[in-house]
Amino acid sequence: LNKKMVEKGLFAKHSFRDIKHRSKTMEDCIQHAKAAAATEYTVLITGESGTGKSRLAKEIHRMGKKDAPFVEVNCNAIAPSLFESELFGYAPGAFTGAAANGKAGFFEEANGGTIFLDEIGDMPMELQTRLLRVLSNGYFYRVGGHQPIKADVRVIAATNQNLEERVKSGQFRE
């Protein structure tokens, strides 16, 4: 991203205006976020709790796909036993107590837009494998389903954990 891109109207001059900052480090972070907003790439935002990772993710989405859905998922607030059906939904009759019509998951709700996986470092290991499959193949299956569902979704993730260390220790998939 550079000044010419802003002048040509490729980015709103007042984007990220709600993110208050004074440091050069944060200004650099905002410039990286503006550049990321112009792409469809998966984005990982890292930083301590309370530093505005969620706000940054919303701005990246707003600059890129403001009229598309933005679905925010707090990965540490979902019980591990429910996580898969919440992310990917479930087919009718997939398990005892399942809704008769099945249920769309967060990925389906975000179709055409962005899914924000906050605190992704807390995602259970077995679900990381399914997420990697969605990122690499571009589709997923509902729990108990047999029909692939296209994932036209941009993923933005955030964590306050050092994922490189977690990968080295075997607690997070590379």
Side-chain angles (χ1 to χ4, degrees):
L1 178 71
N2 59 40
K3 189 175 178 179
K4 288 181 183 177
M5 293 172 83
V6 173
E7 289 169 357
K8 288 181 180 178
L10 296 175
F11 299 99
K13 291 179 182 175
H14 300 292
S15 60
F16 294 87
R17 66 187 170 278
D18 295 335
I19 299 176
K20 306 295 182 215
H21 64 283
R22 293 184 184 163
S23 73
K24 171 77 170 114
T25 302
M26 191 60 187
E27 184 58 37
D28 290 345
C29 177
I30 289 172
Q31 293 306 314
H32 286 296
K34 287 179 181 179
T39 72
E40 288 295 316
Y41 294 128
T42 297
V43 174
L44 176 63
I45 303 168
T46 60
E48 296 177 19
S49 295
T51 56
K53 295 181 298 291
S54 176
R55 182 71 202 127
L56 194 63
K58 288 174 186 171
E59 275 303 301
I60 291 170
H61 167 76
R62 187 186 68 77
M63 287 184 67
K65 294 184 170 189
K66 69 178 179 181
D67 295 326
F70 179 85
V71 176
E72 188 168 352
V73 180
N74 186 339
C75 294
N76 64 7
I78 301 172
S81 60
L82 299 176
F83 209 102
E84 186 173 17
S85 64
E86 290 295 317
L87 266 188
F88 304 113
Y90 57 83
F95 49 83
T96 304
N101 313 2
K103 178 181 176 267
F106 294 131
F107 268 89
E108 283 180 81
E109 291 174 11
N111 189 39
T114 303
I115 188 166
F116 174 52
L117 301 173
D118 196 12
E119 300 304 343
I120 196 166
D122 294 325
M123 180 180 279
M125 183 69 90
E126 59 275 6
L127 285 174
Q128 293 173 32
T129 304
R130 289 225 30 212
L131 179 61
L132 285 171
R133 198 170 302 135
V134 172
L135 293 175
S136 63
N137 297 339
Y139 63 89
F140 62 94
Y141 293 88
R142 284 182 172 184
V143 173
H146 303 289
Q147 298 294 336
I149 299 171
K150 184 167 177 16
D152 179 19
V153 176
R154 178 186 198 165
V155 176
I156 300 177
T159 185
N160 62 3
Q161 299 181 32
N162 184 328
L163 292 186
E164 289 176 355
E165 285 181 13
R166 290 181 57 86
V167 167
K168 286 177 186 175
S169 69
Q171 297 174 315
F172 200 82
R173 299 269 320 222
E174 189 172 4

